[in-house]
PDB file of all heavy atoms in Angstrom:
ATOM      1  N   LYS A 409       6.648   2.159  -2.761  1.00 50.00           N
ATOM      2  CA  LYS A 409       7.298   3.239  -3.486  1.00 50.00           C
ATOM      3  C   LYS A 409       6.636   3.497  -4.836  1.00 50.00           C
ATOM      4  O   LYS A 409       6.722   4.571  -5.401  1.00 50.00           O
ATOM      5  CB  LYS A 409       8.758   2.824  -3.710  1.00 50.00           C
ATOM      6  CG  LYS A 409       9.720   3.996  -3.628  1.00 50.00           C
ATOM      7  CD  LYS A 409      11.138   3.528  -3.839  1.00 50.00           C
ATOM      8  CE  LYS A 409      12.017   4.689  -4.264  1.00 50.00           C
ATOM      9  NZ  LYS A 409      13.332   4.280  -4.707  1.00 50.00           N
ATOM     10  N   PRO A 458     -13.050   5.317  -7.743  1.00 95.00           N
ATOM     11  CA  PRO A 458     -13.249   3.873  -7.875  1.00 95.00           C
ATOM     12  C   PRO A 458     -12.692   3.411  -9.214  1.00 95.00           C
ATOM     13  O   PRO A 458     -12.694   4.155 -10.196  1.00 95.00           O
ATOM     14  CB  PRO A 458     -14.775   3.709  -7.850  1.00 95.00           C
ATOM     15  CG  PRO A 458     -15.313   5.026  -7.383  1.00 95.00           C
ATOM     16  CD  PRO A 458     -14.309   6.057  -7.778  1.00 95.00           C
ATOM     17  N   GLY A 459     -12.232   2.165  -9.235  1.00 93.00           N
ATOM     18  CA  GLY A 459     -11.604   1.659 -10.449  1.00 93.00           C
ATOM     19  C   GLY A 459     -12.565   1.427 -11.595  1.00 93.00           C
ATOM     20  O   GLY A 459     -12.140   1.198 -12.725  1.00 93.00           O
ATOM     21  N   ASP A 460     -13.855   1.495 -11.318  1.00 94.00           N
ATOM     22  CA  ASP A 460     -14.825   1.180 -12.363  1.00 94.00           C
ATOM     23  C   ASP A 460     -15.729   2.365 -12.685  1.00 94.00           C
ATOM     24  O   ASP A 460     -16.845   2.191 -13.168  1.00 94.00           O
ATOM     25  CB  ASP A 460     -15.675  -0.026 -11.940  1.00 94.00           C
ATOM     26  CG  ASP A 460     -16.398   0.234 -10.625  1.00 94.00           C
ATOM     27  OD1 ASP A 460     -16.143   1.288  -9.988  1.00 94.00           O
ATOM     28  OD2 ASP A 460     -17.213  -0.607 -10.225  1.00 94.00           O
ATOM     29  N   GLU A 461     -15.267   3.582 -12.402  1.00 96.00           N
ATOM     30  CA  GLU A 461     -16.095   4.764 -12.652  1.00 96.00           C
ATOM     31  C   GLU A 461     -15.317   5.767 -13.499  1.00 96.00           C
ATOM     32  O   GLU A 461     -14.125   5.979 -13.261  1.00 96.00           O
ATOM     33  CB  GLU A 461     -16.512   5.404 -11.320  1.00 96.00           C
ATOM     34  CG  GLU A 461     -17.600   6.458 -11.466  1.00 96.00           C
ATOM     35  CD  GLU A 461     -18.051   6.991 -10.110  1.00 96.00           C
ATOM     36  OE1 GLU A 461     -17.223   7.008  -9.175  1.00 96.00           O
ATOM     37  OE2 GLU A 461     -19.199   7.412  -9.988  1.00 96.00           O
ATOM     38  N   GLU A 462     -15.987   6.370 -14.466  1.00 97.00           N
ATOM     39  CA  GLU A 462     -15.344   7.385 -15.292  1.00 97.00           C
ATOM     40  C   GLU A 462     -14.949   8.580 -14.425  1.00 97.00           C
ATOM     41  O   GLU A 462     -15.576   8.849 -13.399  1.00 97.00           O
ATOM     42  CB  GLU A 462     -16.298   7.865 -16.400  1.00 97.00           C
ATOM     43  CG  GLU A 462     -16.721   6.783 -17.375  1.00 97.00           C
ATOM     44  CD  GLU A 462     -15.591   6.361 -18.314  1.00 97.00           C
ATOM     45  OE1 GLU A 462     -14.489   6.943 -18.223  1.00 97.00           O
ATOM     46  OE2 GLU A 462     -15.812   5.429 -19.106  1.00 97.00           O
ATOM     47  N   GLN A 484     -12.705  19.171 -16.953  1.00 96.00           N
ATOM     48  CA  GLN A 484     -11.485  18.878 -16.218  1.00 96.00           C
ATOM     49  C   GLN A 484     -10.636  20.141 -16.119  1.00 96.00           C
ATOM     50  O   GLN A 484     -10.517  20.875 -17.102  1.00 96.00           O
ATOM     51  CB  GLN A 484     -10.687  17.777 -16.925  1.00 96.00           C
ATOM     52  CG  GLN A 484      -9.653  17.138 -16.041  1.00 96.00           C
ATOM     53  CD  GLN A 484      -8.797  16.117 -16.783  1.00 96.00           C
ATOM     54  OE1 GLN A 484      -7.632  16.370 -17.087  1.00 96.00           O
ATOM     55  NE2 GLN A 484      -9.378  14.977 -17.106  1.00 96.00           N
ATOM     56  N   THR A 487      -4.553  18.282 -13.109  1.00 98.00           N
ATOM     57  CA  THR A 487      -4.244  17.186 -12.204  1.00 98.00           C
ATOM     58  C   THR A 487      -3.092  17.597 -11.300  1.00 98.00           C
ATOM     59  O   THR A 487      -2.023  17.969 -11.785  1.00 98.00           O
ATOM     60  CB  THR A 487      -3.888  15.916 -12.992  1.00 98.00           C
ATOM     61  OG1 THR A 487      -5.035  15.531 -13.751  1.00 98.00           O
ATOM     62  CG2 THR A 487      -3.508  14.784 -12.059  1.00 98.00           C
ATOM     63  N   ASP A 490       1.749  16.924  -6.731  1.00 96.00           N
ATOM     64  CA  ASP A 490       3.010  17.213  -6.045  1.00 96.00           C
ATOM     65  C   ASP A 490       3.213  16.257  -4.868  1.00 96.00           C
ATOM     66  O   ASP A 490       2.257  15.891  -4.178  1.00 96.00           O
ATOM     67  CB  ASP A 490       3.009  18.655  -5.517  1.00 96.00           C
ATOM     68  CG  ASP A 490       3.184  19.663  -6.640  1.00 96.00           C
ATOM     69  OD1 ASP A 490       3.241  19.228  -7.800  1.00 96.00           O
ATOM     70  OD2 ASP A 490       3.248  20.861  -6.337  1.00 96.00           O
ATOM     71  N   LEU A 491       4.462  15.898  -4.639  1.00 95.00           N
ATOM     72  CA  LEU A 491       4.770  14.921  -3.600  1.00 95.00           C
ATOM     73  C   LEU A 491       4.359  15.415  -2.211  1.00 95.00           C
ATOM     74  O   LEU A 491       3.896  14.653  -1.386  1.00 95.00           O
ATOM     75  CB  LEU A 491       6.271  14.594  -3.632  1.00 95.00           C
ATOM     76  CG  LEU A 491       6.719  13.760  -4.823  1.00 95.00           C
ATOM     77  CD1 LEU A 491       8.237  13.676  -4.877  1.00 95.00           C
ATOM     78  CD2 LEU A 491       6.110  12.370  -4.768  1.00 95.00           C
ATOM     79  N   ARG A 498       1.469   9.583  -1.174  1.00 94.00           N
ATOM     80  CA  ARG A 498       1.256  10.612  -2.182  1.00 94.00           C
ATOM     81  C   ARG A 498      -0.124  10.443  -2.827  1.00 94.00           C
ATOM     82  O   ARG A 498      -0.543   9.341  -3.159  1.00 94.00           O
ATOM     83  CB  ARG A 498       2.333  10.522  -3.261  1.00 94.00           C
ATOM     84  CG  ARG A 498       2.279  11.700  -4.221  1.00 94.00           C
ATOM     85  CD  ARG A 498       1.690  11.363  -5.527  1.00 94.00           C
ATOM     86  NE  ARG A 498       2.668  10.707  -6.381  1.00 94.00           N
ATOM     87  CZ  ARG A 498       3.466  11.353  -7.213  1.00 94.00           C
ATOM     88  NH1 ARG A 498       3.375  12.654  -7.329  1.00 94.00           N
ATOM     89  NH2 ARG A 498       4.304  10.674  -7.964  1.00 94.00           N
ATOM     90  N   TRP A 546      -8.926  31.610 -12.167  1.00 90.00           N
ATOM     91  CA  TRP A 546      -8.196  32.160 -13.311  1.00 90.00           C
ATOM     92  C   TRP A 546      -8.738  31.567 -14.612  1.00 90.00           C
ATOM     93  O   TRP A 546      -8.982  32.280 -15.582  1.00 90.00           O
ATOM     94  CB  TRP A 546      -6.697  31.864 -13.155  1.00 90.00           C
ATOM     95  CG  TRP A 546      -5.872  32.325 -14.295  1.00 90.00           C
ATOM     96  CD1 TRP A 546      -5.419  33.601 -14.496  1.00 90.00           C
ATOM     97  CD2 TRP A 546      -5.422  31.536 -15.397  1.00 90.00           C
ATOM     98  NE1 TRP A 546      -4.701  33.643 -15.670  1.00 90.00           N
ATOM     99  CE2 TRP A 546      -4.690  32.407 -16.235  1.00 90.00           C
ATOM    100  CE3 TRP A 546      -5.552  30.200 -15.751  1.00 90.00           C
ATOM    101  CZ2 TRP A 546      -4.094  31.968 -17.421  1.00 90.00           C
ATOM    102  CZ3 TRP A 546      -4.958  29.762 -16.921  1.00 90.00           C
ATOM    103  CH2 TRP A 546      -4.245  30.640 -17.740  1.00 90.00           C
ATOM    104  N   ASP A 626     -14.580  24.513 -28.828  1.00 62.00           N
ATOM    105  CA  ASP A 626     -14.464  24.901 -27.430  1.00 62.00           C
ATOM    106  C   ASP A 626     -13.305  24.130 -26.814  1.00 62.00           C
ATOM    107  O   ASP A 626     -12.232  24.675 -26.624  1.00 62.00           O
ATOM    108  CB  ASP A 626     -15.774  24.568 -26.730  1.00 62.00           C
ATOM    109  CG  ASP A 626     -15.726  24.818 -25.253  1.00 62.00           C
ATOM    110  OD1 ASP A 626     -14.938  25.680 -24.841  1.00 62.00           O
ATOM    111  OD2 ASP A 626     -16.439  24.140 -24.527  1.00 62.00           O
TER     112      ASP A 626
ATOM    113  N   LYS B1298     -11.555  -3.527  -7.454  1.00 50.00           N
ATOM    114  CA  LYS B1298     -12.531  -2.554  -7.959  1.00 50.00           C
ATOM    115  C   LYS B1298     -12.095  -1.122  -7.642  1.00 50.00           C
ATOM    116  O   LYS B1298     -12.498  -0.188  -8.312  1.00 50.00           O
ATOM    117  CB  LYS B1298     -13.865  -2.844  -7.261  1.00 50.00           C
ATOM    118  CG  LYS B1298     -15.061  -2.702  -8.180  1.00 50.00           C
ATOM    119  CD  LYS B1298     -16.335  -3.019  -7.414  1.00 50.00           C
ATOM    120  CE  LYS B1298     -17.513  -2.294  -8.034  1.00 50.00           C
ATOM    121  NZ  LYS B1298     -18.736  -2.411  -7.255  1.00 50.00           N
ATOM    122  N   PRO B1347       6.118   6.480 -10.677  1.00 95.00           N
ATOM    123  CA  PRO B1347       6.616   6.041  -9.377  1.00 95.00           C
ATOM    124  C   PRO B1347       5.994   6.895  -8.276  1.00 95.00           C
ATOM    125  O   PRO B1347       5.689   8.071  -8.495  1.00 95.00           O
ATOM    126  CB  PRO B1347       8.120   6.288  -9.458  1.00 95.00           C
ATOM    127  CG  PRO B1347       8.416   6.549 -10.902  1.00 95.00           C
ATOM    128  CD  PRO B1347       7.169   7.106 -11.481  1.00 95.00           C
ATOM    129  N   GLY B1348       5.806   6.282  -7.102  1.00 93.00           N
ATOM    130  CA  GLY B1348       5.158   6.991  -6.021  1.00 93.00           C
ATOM    131  C   GLY B1348       5.976   8.119  -5.428  1.00 93.00           C
ATOM    132  O   GLY B1348       5.464   8.941  -4.665  1.00 93.00           O
ATOM    133  N   ASP B1349       7.248   8.201  -5.790  1.00 94.00           N
ATOM    134  CA  ASP B1349       8.113   9.200  -5.168  1.00 94.00           C
ATOM    135  C   ASP B1349       8.683  10.182  -6.191  1.00 94.00           C
ATOM    136  O   ASP B1349       9.746  10.770  -5.961  1.00 94.00           O
ATOM    137  CB  ASP B1349       9.261   8.508  -4.426  1.00 94.00           C
ATOM    138  CG  ASP B1349      10.080   7.621  -5.362  1.00 94.00           C
ATOM    139  OD1 ASP B1349       9.683   7.473  -6.541  1.00 94.00           O
ATOM    140  OD2 ASP B1349      11.097   7.074  -4.916  1.00 94.00           O
ATOM    141  N   GLU B1350       7.995  10.334  -7.333  1.00 96.00           N
ATOM    142  CA  GLU B1350       8.503  11.247  -8.363  1.00 96.00           C
ATOM    143  C   GLU B1350       7.411  12.239  -8.748  1.00 96.00           C
ATOM    144  O   GLU B1350       6.245  11.876  -8.897  1.00 96.00           O
ATOM    145  CB  GLU B1350       8.941  10.439  -9.591  1.00 96.00           C
ATOM    146  CG  GLU B1350       9.753  11.239 -10.599  1.00 96.00           C
ATOM    147  CD  GLU B1350      10.249  10.369 -11.755  1.00 96.00           C
ATOM    148  OE1 GLU B1350       9.580   9.372 -12.083  1.00 96.00           O
ATOM    149  OE2 GLU B1350      11.285  10.693 -12.326  1.00 96.00           O
ATOM    150  N   GLU B1351       7.822  13.494  -8.947  1.00 97.00           N
ATOM    151  CA  GLU B1351       6.852  14.506  -9.381  1.00 97.00           C
ATOM    152  C   GLU B1351       6.329  14.156 -10.773  1.00 97.00           C
ATOM    153  O   GLU B1351       7.025  13.515 -11.569  1.00 97.00           O
ATOM    154  CB  GLU B1351       7.510  15.892  -9.420  1.00 97.00           C
ATOM    155  CG  GLU B1351       8.024  16.398  -8.089  1.00 97.00           C
ATOM    156  CD  GLU B1351       6.897  16.780  -7.132  1.00 97.00           C
ATOM    157  OE1 GLU B1351       5.727  16.703  -7.525  1.00 97.00           O
ATOM    158  OE2 GLU B1351       7.213  17.123  -5.986  1.00 97.00           O
ATOM    159  N   GLN B1373       1.517  20.332 -18.643  1.00 96.00           N
ATOM    160  CA  GLN B1373       0.490  19.299 -18.535  1.00 96.00           C
ATOM    161  C   GLN B1373      -0.593  19.554 -19.567  1.00 96.00           C
ATOM    162  O   GLN B1373      -1.021  20.696 -19.767  1.00 96.00           O
ATOM    163  CB  GLN B1373      -0.119  19.289 -17.130  1.00 96.00           C
ATOM    164  CG  GLN B1373      -0.891  18.023 -16.826  1.00 96.00           C
ATOM    165  CD  GLN B1373      -1.605  18.063 -15.478  1.00 96.00           C
ATOM    166  OE1 GLN B1373      -2.810  18.188 -15.385  1.00 96.00           O
ATOM    167  NE2 GLN B1373      -0.832  17.982 -14.411  1.00 96.00           N
ATOM    168  N   THR B1376      -5.676  14.785 -18.450  1.00 98.00           N
ATOM    169  CA  THR B1376      -5.608  13.455 -17.864  1.00 98.00           C
ATOM    170  C   THR B1376      -6.688  12.584 -18.481  1.00 98.00           C
ATOM    171  O   THR B1376      -7.866  12.931 -18.450  1.00 98.00           O
ATOM    172  CB  THR B1376      -5.779  13.532 -16.341  1.00 98.00           C
ATOM    173  OG1 THR B1376      -4.692  14.283 -15.801  1.00 98.00           O
ATOM    174  CG2 THR B1376      -5.784  12.146 -15.725  1.00 98.00           C
ATOM    175  N   ASP B1379     -10.607   7.203 -19.319  1.00 96.00           N
ATOM    176  CA  ASP B1379     -11.789   6.435 -19.712  1.00 96.00           C
ATOM    177  C   ASP B1379     -11.616   4.963 -19.383  1.00 96.00           C
ATOM    178  O   ASP B1379     -10.520   4.414 -19.516  1.00 96.00           O
ATOM    179  CB  ASP B1379     -12.046   6.589 -21.225  1.00 96.00           C
ATOM    180  CG  ASP B1379     -12.582   7.965 -21.570  1.00 96.00           C
ATOM    181  OD1 ASP B1379     -12.690   8.797 -20.651  1.00 96.00           O
ATOM    182  OD2 ASP B1379     -12.885   8.202 -22.750  1.00 96.00           O
ATOM    183  N   LEU B1380     -12.703   4.336 -18.987  1.00 95.00           N
ATOM    184  CA  LEU B1380     -12.642   2.932 -18.563  1.00 95.00           C
ATOM    185  C   LEU B1380     -12.173   2.017 -19.680  1.00 95.00           C
ATOM    186  O   LEU B1380     -11.447   1.058 -19.445  1.00 95.00           O
ATOM    187  CB  LEU B1380     -14.027   2.480 -18.064  1.00 95.00           C
ATOM    188  CG  LEU B1380     -14.446   3.106 -16.736  1.00 95.00           C
ATOM    189  CD1 LEU B1380     -15.906   2.773 -16.427  1.00 95.00           C
ATOM    190  CD2 LEU B1380     -13.552   2.609 -15.615  1.00 95.00           C
ATOM    191  N   ARG B1387      -7.938  -0.701 -15.407  1.00 94.00           N
ATOM    192  CA  ARG B1387      -8.087   0.658 -15.894  1.00 94.00           C
ATOM    193  C   ARG B1387      -6.811   1.454 -15.640  1.00 94.00           C
ATOM    194  O   ARG B1387      -6.227   1.384 -14.550  1.00 94.00           O
ATOM    195  CB  ARG B1387      -9.266   1.340 -15.190  1.00 94.00           C
ATOM    196  CG  ARG B1387      -9.581   2.709 -15.802  1.00 94.00           C
ATOM    197  CD  ARG B1387      -9.133   3.836 -14.970  1.00 94.00           C
ATOM    198  NE  ARG B1387     -10.048   4.107 -13.885  1.00 94.00           N
ATOM    199  CZ  ARG B1387     -11.093   4.913 -13.976  1.00 94.00           C
ATOM    200  NH1 ARG B1387     -11.325   5.558 -15.084  1.00 94.00           N
ATOM    201  NH2 ARG B1387     -11.868   5.114 -12.945  1.00 94.00           N
ATOM    202  N   TRP B1435      -4.248  20.514 -31.220  1.00 90.00           N
ATOM    203  CA  TRP B1435      -5.228  21.599 -31.085  1.00 90.00           C
ATOM    204  C   TRP B1435      -4.756  22.608 -30.044  1.00 90.00           C
ATOM    205  O   TRP B1435      -4.814  23.818 -30.258  1.00 90.00           O
ATOM    206  CB  TRP B1435      -6.586  21.015 -30.692  1.00 90.00           C
ATOM    207  CG  TRP B1435      -7.635  22.045 -30.479  1.00 90.00           C
ATOM    208  CD1 TRP B1435      -8.396  22.660 -31.434  1.00 90.00           C
ATOM    209  CD2 TRP B1435      -8.047  22.606 -29.219  1.00 90.00           C
ATOM    210  NE1 TRP B1435      -9.242  23.558 -30.838  1.00 90.00           N
ATOM    211  CE2 TRP B1435      -9.056  23.549 -29.490  1.00 90.00           C
ATOM    212  CE3 TRP B1435      -7.667  22.391 -27.892  1.00 90.00           C
ATOM    213  CZ2 TRP B1435      -9.690  24.279 -28.489  1.00 90.00           C
ATOM    214  CZ3 TRP B1435      -8.289  23.132 -26.901  1.00 90.00           C
ATOM    215  CH2 TRP B1435      -9.285  24.054 -27.204  1.00 90.00           C
ATOM    216  N   ASP B1515       0.722  33.454 -18.273  1.00 60.00           N
ATOM    217  CA  ASP B1515       0.668  32.349 -19.208  1.00 60.00           C
ATOM    218  C   ASP B1515      -0.246  31.272 -18.649  1.00 60.00           C
ATOM    219  O   ASP B1515      -1.363  31.113 -19.094  1.00 60.00           O
ATOM    220  CB  ASP B1515       2.092  31.828 -19.421  1.00 60.00           C
ATOM    221  CG  ASP B1515       2.119  30.615 -20.312  1.00 60.00           C
ATOM    222  OD1 ASP B1515       1.210  30.488 -21.144  1.00 60.00           O
ATOM    223  OD2 ASP B1515       3.032  29.809 -20.154  1.00 60.00           O
TER     224      ASP B1515
END
Side-chain angles (χ1 to χ4, degrees):
Chain A
K409 216 179 159 190
D460 58 353
E461 192 176 30
E462 298 288 358
Q484 197 184 106
T487 297
D490 286 3
L491 288 171
R498 189 256 280 269
W546 177 81
D626 175 27
Chain B
K1298 219 179 153 187
D1349 58 354
E1350 192 176 29
E1351 298 289 357
Q1373 196 185 107
T1376 297
D1379 287 3
L1380 290 171
R1387 188 255 280 272
W1435 178 82
D1515 176 27

